[in-house]
Amino acid sequence: MIAYLLSLTMRPGQRYTGWRWQTIGRYVRRRAGHRCQWCGRRTALHVHHLRPVALGGSHSPANLVAICPGCHEHAHGRDLNHD
């Protein structure tokens, strides 16, 4: 519940890295059972916006999935570590 309330204090289209984003990220990873929601691997997880922030996507947990780095790179169509 706290993650949803925190997301309401964050403006769509703006990137965040502070404590609010970290709290929401922990919630999303825990909700996923610490497994990639796309391939099921148990590894370090990235939090991915289903509707991108650049297109006005919200930071609500409903717009977020926890996915492994490989699936995250596939979702963006590029190597996220070497942009």
Short mmCIF file of all heavy atoms in Angstrom, two decimals, residues 18-72:
data_model
loop_
_atom_site.label_atom_id
_atom_site.label_comp_id
_atom_site.label_asym_id
_atom_site.label_seq_id
_atom_site.Cartn_x
_atom_site.Cartn_y
_atom_site.Cartn_z
N GLY A 18 15.65 8.52 -5.76
CA GLY A 18 15.71 8.65 -4.30
C GLY A 18 14.95 7.58 -3.54
O GLY A 18 14.57 6.53 -4.07
N TRP A 19 14.70 7.87 -2.29
CA TRP A 19 14.10 6.90 -1.37
C TRP A 19 12.72 6.45 -1.81
O TRP A 19 12.36 5.29 -1.60
CB TRP A 19 14.06 7.46 0.06
CG TRP A 19 13.13 8.61 0.24
CD1 TRP A 19 13.39 9.94 0.06
CD2 TRP A 19 11.76 8.54 0.64
NE1 TRP A 19 12.28 10.70 0.31
CE2 TRP A 19 11.26 9.86 0.68
CE3 TRP A 19 10.90 7.49 0.96
CZ2 TRP A 19 9.95 10.16 1.03
CZ3 TRP A 19 9.59 7.79 1.31
CH2 TRP A 19 9.13 9.11 1.35
N ARG A 20 11.93 7.34 -2.43
CA ARG A 20 10.60 6.92 -2.88
C ARG A 20 10.72 5.83 -3.94
O ARG A 20 10.04 4.81 -3.88
CB ARG A 20 9.80 8.10 -3.42
CG ARG A 20 9.42 9.09 -2.34
CD ARG A 20 8.63 10.23 -2.88
NE ARG A 20 9.46 11.06 -3.74
CZ ARG A 20 9.05 12.18 -4.33
NH1 ARG A 20 7.81 12.60 -4.17
NH2 ARG A 20 9.86 12.88 -5.08
N TRP A 21 11.60 6.05 -4.94
CA TRP A 21 11.78 5.07 -6.01
C TRP A 21 12.34 3.76 -5.44
O TRP A 21 11.94 2.68 -5.83
CB TRP A 21 12.69 5.63 -7.09
CG TRP A 21 12.97 4.61 -8.15
CD1 TRP A 21 14.16 4.03 -8.42
CD2 TRP A 21 12.03 4.01 -9.04
NE1 TRP A 21 14.03 3.11 -9.44
CE2 TRP A 21 12.72 3.08 -9.83
CE3 TRP A 21 10.66 4.18 -9.25
CZ2 TRP A 21 12.10 2.33 -10.82
CZ3 TRP A 21 10.04 3.43 -10.23
CH2 TRP A 21 10.75 2.51 -11.00
N GLN A 22 13.28 3.85 -4.51
CA GLN A 22 13.85 2.65 -3.91
C GLN A 22 12.80 1.84 -3.15
O GLN A 22 12.77 0.61 -3.23
CB GLN A 22 15.01 3.03 -2.99
CG GLN A 22 16.20 3.57 -3.74
CD GLN A 22 17.25 4.17 -2.83
OE1 GLN A 22 17.12 4.15 -1.62
NE2 GLN A 22 18.29 4.72 -3.44
N THR A 23 11.91 2.53 -2.45
CA THR A 23 10.83 1.84 -1.71
C THR A 23 9.88 1.15 -2.68
O THR A 23 9.49 -0.01 -2.47
CB THR A 23 10.07 2.85 -0.83
OG1 THR A 23 10.99 3.45 0.09
CG2 THR A 23 8.94 2.17 -0.07
N ILE A 24 9.51 1.83 -3.75
CA ILE A 24 8.62 1.23 -4.75
C ILE A 24 9.31 0.04 -5.41
O ILE A 24 8.70 -1.01 -5.60
CB ILE A 24 8.19 2.28 -5.79
CG1 ILE A 24 7.28 3.33 -5.12
CG2 ILE A 24 7.47 1.63 -6.96
CD1 ILE A 24 7.02 4.56 -5.97
N GLY A 25 10.59 0.18 -5.73
CA GLY A 25 11.34 -0.92 -6.34
C GLY A 25 11.39 -2.15 -5.45
O GLY A 25 11.22 -3.28 -5.92
N ARG A 26 11.62 -1.95 -4.15
CA ARG A 26 11.63 -3.09 -3.22
C ARG A 26 10.27 -3.77 -3.21
O ARG A 26 10.18 -5.01 -3.21
CB ARG A 26 12.00 -2.63 -1.80
CG ARG A 26 13.48 -2.48 -1.58
CD ARG A 26 13.82 -2.31 -0.11
NE ARG A 26 13.18 -1.16 0.51
CZ ARG A 26 13.69 0.08 0.53
NH1 ARG A 26 14.85 0.32 -0.04
NH2 ARG A 26 13.05 1.05 1.11
N TYR A 27 9.20 -2.98 -3.23
CA TYR A 27 7.85 -3.55 -3.24
C TYR A 27 7.63 -4.39 -4.51
O TYR A 27 7.12 -5.51 -4.45
CB TYR A 27 6.79 -2.44 -3.16
CG TYR A 27 5.41 -2.97 -3.42
CD1 TYR A 27 4.71 -3.64 -2.42
CD2 TYR A 27 4.82 -2.84 -4.67
CE1 TYR A 27 3.44 -4.16 -2.66
CE2 TYR A 27 3.56 -3.36 -4.92
CZ TYR A 27 2.89 -4.02 -3.90
OH TYR A 27 1.64 -4.55 -4.15
N VAL A 28 8.01 -3.86 -5.67
CA VAL A 28 7.80 -4.56 -6.94
C VAL A 28 8.59 -5.87 -6.98
O VAL A 28 8.09 -6.90 -7.42
CB VAL A 28 8.15 -3.63 -8.13
CG1 VAL A 28 8.14 -4.39 -9.45
CG2 VAL A 28 7.18 -2.46 -8.19
N ARG A 29 9.83 -5.84 -6.50
CA ARG A 29 10.65 -7.07 -6.47
C ARG A 29 10.05 -8.11 -5.52
O ARG A 29 9.99 -9.29 -5.83
CB ARG A 29 12.08 -6.73 -6.06
CG ARG A 29 12.85 -5.99 -7.12
CD ARG A 29 14.26 -5.66 -6.65
NE ARG A 29 14.94 -4.83 -7.60
CZ ARG A 29 15.00 -3.50 -7.52
NH1 ARG A 29 14.44 -2.86 -6.52
NH2 ARG A 29 15.64 -2.82 -8.45
N ARG A 30 9.60 -7.65 -4.36
CA ARG A 30 8.98 -8.56 -3.38
C ARG A 30 7.68 -9.13 -3.94
O ARG A 30 7.41 -10.33 -3.81
CB ARG A 30 8.75 -7.83 -2.06
CG ARG A 30 8.33 -8.74 -0.92
CD ARG A 30 8.25 -8.02 0.42
NE ARG A 30 7.52 -6.76 0.36
CZ ARG A 30 8.06 -5.56 0.59
NH1 ARG A 30 9.33 -5.44 0.90
NH2 ARG A 30 7.32 -4.48 0.53
N ARG A 31 6.89 -8.30 -4.59
CA ARG A 31 5.62 -8.74 -5.19
C ARG A 31 5.87 -9.84 -6.22
O ARG A 31 5.08 -10.77 -6.37
CB ARG A 31 4.93 -7.54 -5.84
CG ARG A 31 3.64 -7.88 -6.56
CD ARG A 31 3.07 -6.69 -7.29
NE ARG A 31 3.90 -6.36 -8.44
CZ ARG A 31 3.76 -5.26 -9.18
NH1 ARG A 31 2.84 -4.37 -8.88
NH2 ARG A 31 4.54 -5.05 -10.21
N ALA A 32 7.01 -9.75 -6.92
CA ALA A 32 7.37 -10.74 -7.95
C ALA A 32 7.98 -11.99 -7.35
O ALA A 32 8.33 -12.91 -8.08
CB ALA A 32 8.33 -10.11 -8.95
N GLY A 33 8.12 -12.03 -6.04
CA GLY A 33 8.73 -13.20 -5.41
C GLY A 33 10.22 -13.30 -5.71
O GLY A 33 10.79 -14.38 -5.68
N HIS A 34 10.83 -12.15 -6.03
CA HIS A 34 12.26 -12.08 -6.34
C HIS A 34 12.63 -12.97 -7.53
O HIS A 34 13.71 -13.52 -7.60
CB HIS A 34 13.12 -12.39 -5.11
CG HIS A 34 12.83 -11.45 -3.99
ND1 HIS A 34 13.32 -10.16 -3.96
CD2 HIS A 34 12.07 -11.59 -2.88
CE1 HIS A 34 12.89 -9.56 -2.87
NE2 HIS A 34 12.13 -10.39 -2.21
N ARG A 35 11.68 -13.10 -8.47
CA ARG A 35 11.91 -13.83 -9.73
C ARG A 35 11.50 -12.92 -10.88
O ARG A 35 10.57 -12.13 -10.77
CB ARG A 35 11.06 -15.10 -9.79
CG ARG A 35 11.50 -16.18 -8.84
CD ARG A 35 10.73 -17.46 -9.10
NE ARG A 35 11.19 -18.51 -8.23
CZ ARG A 35 12.23 -19.28 -8.48
NH1 ARG A 35 12.92 -19.13 -9.58
NH2 ARG A 35 12.60 -20.22 -7.62
N CYS A 36 12.20 -13.10 -12.01
CA CYS A 36 11.86 -12.33 -13.21
C CYS A 36 10.41 -12.65 -13.59
O CYS A 36 10.03 -13.82 -13.71
CB CYS A 36 12.80 -12.69 -14.35
SG CYS A 36 12.40 -11.87 -15.91
N GLN A 37 9.62 -11.63 -13.80
CA GLN A 37 8.21 -11.83 -14.14
C GLN A 37 8.03 -12.27 -15.59
O GLN A 37 6.93 -12.66 -15.96
CB GLN A 37 7.42 -10.55 -13.87
CG GLN A 37 7.30 -10.27 -12.37
CD GLN A 37 6.49 -9.02 -12.09
OE1 GLN A 37 7.04 -7.97 -11.88
NE2 GLN A 37 5.18 -9.17 -12.10
N TRP A 38 9.08 -12.24 -16.38
CA TRP A 38 8.98 -12.66 -17.78
C TRP A 38 9.55 -14.05 -18.01
O TRP A 38 8.96 -14.82 -18.73
CB TRP A 38 9.64 -11.64 -18.70
CG TRP A 38 8.88 -10.35 -18.80
CD1 TRP A 38 7.71 -10.03 -18.15
CD2 TRP A 38 9.22 -9.21 -19.56
NE1 TRP A 38 7.32 -8.76 -18.47
CE2 TRP A 38 8.23 -8.23 -19.33
CE3 TRP A 38 10.28 -8.92 -20.40
CZ2 TRP A 38 8.27 -6.98 -19.94
CZ3 TRP A 38 10.31 -7.66 -20.99
CH2 TRP A 38 9.31 -6.71 -20.77
N CYS A 39 10.70 -14.36 -17.42
CA CYS A 39 11.32 -15.67 -17.69
C CYS A 39 11.38 -16.57 -16.45
O CYS A 39 11.67 -17.74 -16.56
CB CYS A 39 12.72 -15.50 -18.29
SG CYS A 39 13.98 -14.95 -17.12
N GLY A 40 11.12 -16.02 -15.28
CA GLY A 40 11.07 -16.81 -14.06
C GLY A 40 12.41 -17.01 -13.37
O GLY A 40 12.47 -17.65 -12.33
N ARG A 41 13.50 -16.48 -13.95
CA ARG A 41 14.81 -16.65 -13.33
C ARG A 41 14.88 -15.95 -11.98
O ARG A 41 14.31 -14.89 -11.78
CB ARG A 41 15.91 -16.09 -14.23
CG ARG A 41 16.17 -16.92 -15.43
CD ARG A 41 17.27 -16.41 -16.30
NE ARG A 41 18.42 -15.96 -15.53
CZ ARG A 41 19.31 -15.08 -15.96
NH1 ARG A 41 19.17 -14.53 -17.15
NH2 ARG A 41 20.33 -14.73 -15.21
N ARG A 42 15.61 -16.57 -11.06
CA ARG A 42 15.87 -15.96 -9.76
C ARG A 42 17.26 -15.35 -9.81
O ARG A 42 18.26 -16.05 -9.82
CB ARG A 42 15.79 -17.00 -8.65
CG ARG A 42 15.90 -16.39 -7.26
CD ARG A 42 15.91 -17.44 -6.18
NE ARG A 42 14.66 -17.79 -5.57
CZ ARG A 42 13.84 -16.97 -4.90
NH1 ARG A 42 14.12 -15.71 -4.83
NH2 ARG A 42 12.76 -17.43 -4.33
N THR A 43 17.32 -14.03 -9.93
CA THR A 43 18.57 -13.30 -10.09
C THR A 43 18.34 -11.86 -9.65
O THR A 43 17.25 -11.52 -9.20
CB THR A 43 19.04 -13.37 -11.56
OG1 THR A 43 20.32 -12.75 -11.67
CG2 THR A 43 18.06 -12.74 -12.52
N ALA A 44 19.35 -11.03 -9.78
CA ALA A 44 19.16 -9.61 -9.51
C ALA A 44 18.12 -9.08 -10.48
O ALA A 44 18.11 -9.45 -11.65
CB ALA A 44 20.48 -8.87 -9.70
N LEU A 45 17.22 -8.25 -9.99
CA LEU A 45 16.11 -7.79 -10.82
C LEU A 45 16.16 -6.29 -11.05
O LEU A 45 16.54 -5.52 -10.18
CB LEU A 45 14.78 -8.14 -10.15
CG LEU A 45 14.49 -9.62 -9.97
CD1 LEU A 45 13.23 -9.81 -9.16
CD2 LEU A 45 14.38 -10.32 -11.32
N HIS A 46 15.76 -5.90 -12.26
CA HIS A 46 15.56 -4.49 -12.60
C HIS A 46 14.06 -4.21 -12.52
O HIS A 46 13.24 -5.10 -12.75
CB HIS A 46 16.01 -4.20 -14.02
CG HIS A 46 17.48 -4.36 -14.24
ND1 HIS A 46 18.06 -4.10 -15.45
CD2 HIS A 46 18.48 -4.74 -13.42
CE1 HIS A 46 19.36 -4.30 -15.37
NE2 HIS A 46 19.63 -4.71 -14.15
N VAL A 47 13.71 -2.98 -12.24
CA VAL A 47 12.30 -2.57 -12.26
C VAL A 47 12.07 -1.85 -13.59
O VAL A 47 12.76 -0.89 -13.92
CB VAL A 47 11.96 -1.67 -11.06
CG1 VAL A 47 10.52 -1.20 -11.15
CG2 VAL A 47 12.19 -2.42 -9.76
N HIS A 48 11.12 -2.35 -14.35
CA HIS A 48 10.85 -1.87 -15.71
C HIS A 48 9.46 -1.26 -15.79
O HIS A 48 8.49 -1.83 -15.28
CB HIS A 48 10.98 -3.05 -16.68
CG HIS A 48 10.60 -2.73 -18.08
ND1 HIS A 48 11.37 -1.93 -18.91
CD2 HIS A 48 9.53 -3.12 -18.82
CE1 HIS A 48 10.79 -1.85 -20.09
NE2 HIS A 48 9.67 -2.55 -20.05
N HIS A 49 9.37 -0.09 -16.43
CA HIS A 49 8.08 0.55 -16.67
C HIS A 49 7.43 -0.08 -17.90
O HIS A 49 8.05 -0.12 -18.96
CB HIS A 49 8.26 2.05 -16.92
CG HIS A 49 8.68 2.82 -15.72
ND1 HIS A 49 9.98 2.88 -15.28
CD2 HIS A 49 7.95 3.57 -14.86
CE1 HIS A 49 10.04 3.64 -14.21
NE2 HIS A 49 8.83 4.07 -13.93
N LEU A 50 6.21 -0.55 -17.78
CA LEU A 50 5.50 -1.10 -18.93
C LEU A 50 5.20 0.01 -19.94
O LEU A 50 5.41 -0.15 -21.13
CB LEU A 50 4.22 -1.80 -18.48
CG LEU A 50 4.45 -3.02 -17.60
CD1 LEU A 50 3.14 -3.51 -17.02
CD2 LEU A 50 5.15 -4.12 -18.39
N ARG A 51 4.69 1.13 -19.46
CA ARG A 51 4.54 2.33 -20.29
C ARG A 51 5.70 3.23 -19.90
O ARG A 51 5.80 3.66 -18.75
CB ARG A 51 3.22 3.03 -20.05
CG ARG A 51 3.10 4.27 -20.90
CD ARG A 51 1.81 5.00 -20.69
NE ARG A 51 1.88 6.24 -21.45
CZ ARG A 51 0.88 6.76 -22.12
NH1 ARG A 51 -0.28 6.15 -22.11
NH2 ARG A 51 1.02 7.88 -22.78
N PRO A 52 6.59 3.53 -20.83
CA PRO A 52 7.81 4.28 -20.51
C PRO A 52 7.53 5.65 -19.88
O PRO A 52 6.55 6.33 -20.22
CB PRO A 52 8.49 4.46 -21.86
CG PRO A 52 7.95 3.37 -22.72
CD PRO A 52 6.54 3.16 -22.24
N VAL A 53 8.43 6.05 -19.00
CA VAL A 53 8.34 7.36 -18.35
C VAL A 53 8.37 8.46 -19.42
O VAL A 53 7.64 9.44 -19.32
CB VAL A 53 9.50 7.54 -17.35
CG1 VAL A 53 9.58 8.96 -16.83
CG2 VAL A 53 9.35 6.56 -16.20
N ALA A 54 9.20 8.28 -20.44
CA ALA A 54 9.32 9.27 -21.50
C ALA A 54 8.00 9.49 -22.25
O ALA A 54 7.79 10.54 -22.86
CB ALA A 54 10.40 8.87 -22.49
N LEU A 55 7.11 8.51 -22.18
CA LEU A 55 5.80 8.63 -22.84
C LEU A 55 4.70 8.92 -21.82
O LEU A 55 3.53 8.68 -22.08
CB LEU A 55 5.48 7.35 -23.61
CG LEU A 55 6.44 7.02 -24.76
CD1 LEU A 55 6.06 5.70 -25.41
CD2 LEU A 55 6.45 8.15 -25.78
N GLY A 56 5.09 9.38 -20.63
CA GLY A 56 4.11 9.75 -19.61
C GLY A 56 3.73 8.62 -18.69
O GLY A 56 2.77 8.74 -17.93
N GLY A 57 4.46 7.52 -18.72
CA GLY A 57 4.16 6.39 -17.84
C GLY A 57 4.32 6.76 -16.38
O GLY A 57 5.21 7.53 -16.02
N SER A 58 3.47 6.22 -15.56
CA SER A 58 3.50 6.54 -14.13
C SER A 58 4.48 5.63 -13.40
O SER A 58 4.97 4.64 -13.95
CB SER A 58 2.12 6.38 -13.52
OG SER A 58 1.82 5.01 -13.34
N HIS A 59 4.75 5.99 -12.17
CA HIS A 59 5.62 5.19 -11.31
C HIS A 59 4.79 4.28 -10.40
O HIS A 59 5.30 3.72 -9.44
CB HIS A 59 6.52 6.10 -10.48
CG HIS A 59 7.41 6.96 -11.34
ND1 HIS A 59 8.45 6.45 -12.08
CD2 HIS A 59 7.38 8.29 -11.59
CE1 HIS A 59 9.05 7.44 -12.73
NE2 HIS A 59 8.41 8.55 -12.45
N SER A 60 3.53 4.12 -10.71
CA SER A 60 2.65 3.25 -9.94
C SER A 60 3.09 1.80 -10.09
O SER A 60 3.47 1.37 -11.19
CB SER A 60 1.21 3.38 -10.44
OG SER A 60 0.40 2.37 -9.90
N PRO A 61 3.05 1.02 -9.01
CA PRO A 61 3.39 -0.39 -9.12
C PRO A 61 2.59 -1.13 -10.19
O PRO A 61 3.06 -2.12 -10.73
CB PRO A 61 3.10 -0.93 -7.72
CG PRO A 61 3.34 0.24 -6.83
CD PRO A 61 2.81 1.42 -7.62
N ALA A 62 1.42 -0.63 -10.54
CA ALA A 62 0.62 -1.26 -11.60
C ALA A 62 1.30 -1.12 -12.97
O ALA A 62 1.02 -1.90 -13.88
CB ALA A 62 -0.77 -0.65 -11.64
N ASN A 63 2.18 -0.14 -13.13
CA ASN A 63 2.90 0.09 -14.38
C ASN A 63 4.31 -0.49 -14.34
O ASN A 63 5.09 -0.27 -15.25
CB ASN A 63 2.97 1.60 -14.68
CG ASN A 63 3.56 1.90 -16.04
OD1 ASN A 63 3.22 1.26 -17.03
ND2 ASN A 63 4.47 2.86 -16.09
N LEU A 64 4.64 -1.24 -13.30
CA LEU A 64 6.00 -1.73 -13.11
C LEU A 64 6.06 -3.25 -13.03
O LEU A 64 5.16 -3.88 -12.49
CB LEU A 64 6.59 -1.15 -11.82
CG LEU A 64 6.64 0.37 -11.74
CD1 LEU A 64 7.02 0.80 -10.33
CD2 LEU A 64 7.59 0.95 -12.77
N VAL A 65 7.13 -3.81 -13.59
CA VAL A 65 7.41 -5.24 -13.46
C VAL A 65 8.85 -5.40 -13.03
O VAL A 65 9.70 -4.56 -13.32
CB VAL A 65 7.16 -6.02 -14.77
CG1 VAL A 65 5.68 -6.08 -15.11
CG2 VAL A 65 7.96 -5.45 -15.92
N ALA A 66 9.13 -6.49 -12.34
CA ALA A 66 10.50 -6.85 -11.95
C ALA A 66 11.00 -7.88 -12.94
O ALA A 66 10.40 -8.95 -13.07
CB ALA A 66 10.51 -7.40 -10.53
N ILE A 67 12.06 -7.53 -13.67
CA ILE A 67 12.59 -8.44 -14.68
C ILE A 67 14.11 -8.52 -14.56
O ILE A 67 14.75 -7.62 -14.04
CB ILE A 67 12.17 -8.02 -16.11
CG1 ILE A 67 12.58 -6.59 -16.44
CG2 ILE A 67 10.67 -8.20 -16.29
CD1 ILE A 67 12.24 -6.14 -17.85
N CYS A 68 14.66 -9.63 -15.06
CA CYS A 68 16.11 -9.85 -15.01
C CYS A 68 16.80 -8.92 -16.01
O CYS A 68 16.16 -8.39 -16.93
CB CYS A 68 16.43 -11.31 -15.28
SG CYS A 68 16.17 -11.83 -16.99
N PRO A 69 18.10 -8.71 -15.86
CA PRO A 69 18.82 -7.84 -16.79
C PRO A 69 18.69 -8.27 -18.25
O PRO A 69 18.56 -7.43 -19.14
CB PRO A 69 20.28 -7.94 -16.31
CG PRO A 69 20.17 -8.25 -14.85
CD PRO A 69 18.95 -9.15 -14.75
N GLY A 70 18.71 -9.58 -18.52
CA GLY A 70 18.57 -10.06 -19.90
C GLY A 70 17.22 -9.69 -20.51
O GLY A 70 17.15 -9.22 -21.65
N CYS A 71 16.16 -9.89 -19.75
CA CYS A 71 14.83 -9.52 -20.24
C CYS A 71 14.69 -8.01 -20.37
O CYS A 71 14.04 -7.51 -21.28
CB CYS A 71 13.75 -10.08 -19.32
SG CYS A 71 13.53 -11.88 -19.47
N HIS A 72 15.34 -7.26 -19.47
CA HIS A 72 15.28 -5.80 -19.54
C HIS A 72 15.98 -5.31 -20.81
O HIS A 72 15.46 -4.42 -21.50
CB HIS A 72 15.92 -5.20 -18.30
CG HIS A 72 15.46 -3.81 -18.00
ND1 HIS A 72 16.04 -3.05 -17.04
CD2 HIS A 72 14.47 -3.05 -18.53
CE1 HIS A 72 15.44 -1.88 -16.99
NE2 HIS A 72 14.48 -1.85 -17.89
#
